[in-house]
Amino acid sequence: RLGEDHFWSSLRRQRRRPRALRLGEDHFWSSLRRQRRRPSRASVNPNTMFHVKPEPEPPIAAELFGDSIDKARAFTANLVAQGEELGLIGPLELPRIWTRHILNSVLVAPLLRPGRVGDVGSGAGLPGLVLAMARPDVEFVLIEPMERRVDWLDSQVRELALDNVEVVRARAQEVEFSPWLDQVTARAVSALSKLIPMTARLVRSGGELLLMKGASVDAELRAASKAVARARLSDVEILVLGEGIVDEVTRVFRATVD
């Protein structure tokens, strides 16, 4: 029996795969599985899946911008070229860059009065830079806390030769102005219940808030009734701009600061 046991033990040793071979085979299959594994959603760049073309300039743009249309074109081209990389806009915004962003902002221009206007959370320059192009008779202060966005705003002010624009790196809750501002704009910053106390503190008595909002602005206003009272706002109204002129209207919460 000892001889028989020795025979089978020897045979098993001969048939057993060498350790180095097993490790190499395991590595091969592990590598293959990694290659076949689907990439995570976070690693997928939409621009690698399909080519996104920017929206062509709508004919109405030249009429809305007047003599400033060349600056608007240059700014839009810069936003298309650099906006996604800098985190200013998403790639899916390119097919509606004019309609959703540029024209949506410039429609507010007729509501501005000569004086000093602050744009809170200016970000990509929407609406601040767009309004500064359309209204060279108005002084603008773009208020933005993030450094890379401030760098972008500064670069556009220089390139577009916007002498009526000052960029301030600060949070709206902390910045102080003397004298106070005549009007304040904001777009896609926060709900009215938070945005009203953030912006009303920056405006002189008799000045205005011009806060751009979405389709749910009426519901936001109802939820912000206490904020309206605390800020002592009067002449509160919701304006719808661009009906019959553009595909996407602009909604503005307008109120006077007493």
Side-chain angles (χ1 to χ4, degrees):
R1 292 202 42 193
L2 287 176
E4 185 177 335
D5 291 343
H6 175 74
F7 169 79
W8 289 111
S9 175
S10 175
L11 185 62
R12 281 194 295 271
R13 283 197 300 272
Q14 292 177 31
R15 297 184 63 186
R16 186 179 299 151
R17 291 179 300 167
R19 176 174 176 79
L21 177 61
R22 293 203 315 273
L23 288 176
E25 186 176 326
D26 291 344
H27 175 73
F28 168 78
W29 289 111
S30 174
S31 175
L32 185 61
R33 282 193 296 270
R34 283 198 299 271
Q35 293 177 32
R36 297 185 63 187
R37 188 177 300 147
R38 293 174 59 189
S40 66
R41 289 187 178 183
S43 66
V44 175
N45 185 337
N47 278 336
T48 65
M49 296 187 293
F50 54 88
H51 179 64
V52 180
K53 292 184 178 180
E55 178 186 14
E57 178 189 324
I60 192 64
E63 184 178 338
L64 293 173
F65 279 97
D67 294 340
S68 300
I69 186 59
D70 287 338
K71 290 185 177 182
R73 288 167 179 160
F75 171 69
T76 304
N78 291 342
L79 196 56
V80 167
Q82 304 174 55
E84 182 189 358
E85 179 183 353
L86 297 176
L88 303 172
I89 57 171
L92 299 183
E93 297 304 309
L94 298 185
R96 52 188 183 180
I97 188 71
W98 280 96
T99 303
R100 184 75 177 272
H101 299 287
I102 307 301
L103 299 188
N104 181 261
S105 296
V106 76
L107 286 171
V108 178
L111 303 181
L112 302 179
R113 302 191 295 250
R116 198 160 176 242
V117 176
D119 183 40
V120 168
S122 204
L126 304 166
L129 286 178
V130 172
L131 293 175
M133 298 173 216
R135 290 295 303 271
D137 59 319
V138 177
E139 297 294 322
F140 288 87
V141 182
L142 309 188
I143 305 163
E144 170 57 49
M146 295 186 65
E147 183 177 7
R148 74 171 185 275
R149 294 178 179 175
V150 168
D151 291 343
W152 158 262
L153 294 170
D154 280 332
S155 71
Q156 296 308 294
V157 169
R158 290 191 301 270
E159 181 174 336
L160 302 172
L162 296 174
D163 298 331
N164 59 333
V165 176
E166 174 189 0
V167 180
V168 174
R169 185 184 178 190
R171 298 174 70 243
Q173 301 91 323
E174 299 169 356
V175 68
E176 300 287 344
F177 291 105
S178 180
W180 288 331
L181 303 171
D182 298 297
Q183 292 174 300
V184 165
T185 63
R187 180 179 187 265
V189 174
S190 184
L192 285 175
S193 57
K194 296 181 179 179
L195 190 56
I196 288 172
M198 189 188 306
T199 54
R201 59 179 293 274
L202 305 175
V203 180
R204 64 171 176 81
S205 178
E208 283 186 335
L209 302 182
L210 299 171
L211 310 179
M212 301 171 66
K213 303 301 298 181
S216 61
V217 62
D218 292 313
E220 280 193 40
L221 180 54
R222 289 192 294 271
S225 58
K226 292 183 179 179
V228 170
R230 282 194 295 266
R232 297 190 299 176
L233 302 183
S234 63
D235 302 324
V236 175
E237 58 182 335
I238 304 298
L239 304 176
V240 180
L241 311 176
E243 286 184 307
I245 300 174
V246 295
D247 293 337
E248 294 192 31
V249 299
T250 297
R251 293 175 176 84
V252 177
F253 166 88
R254 180 166 69 174
T256 300
V257 179
D258 291 335

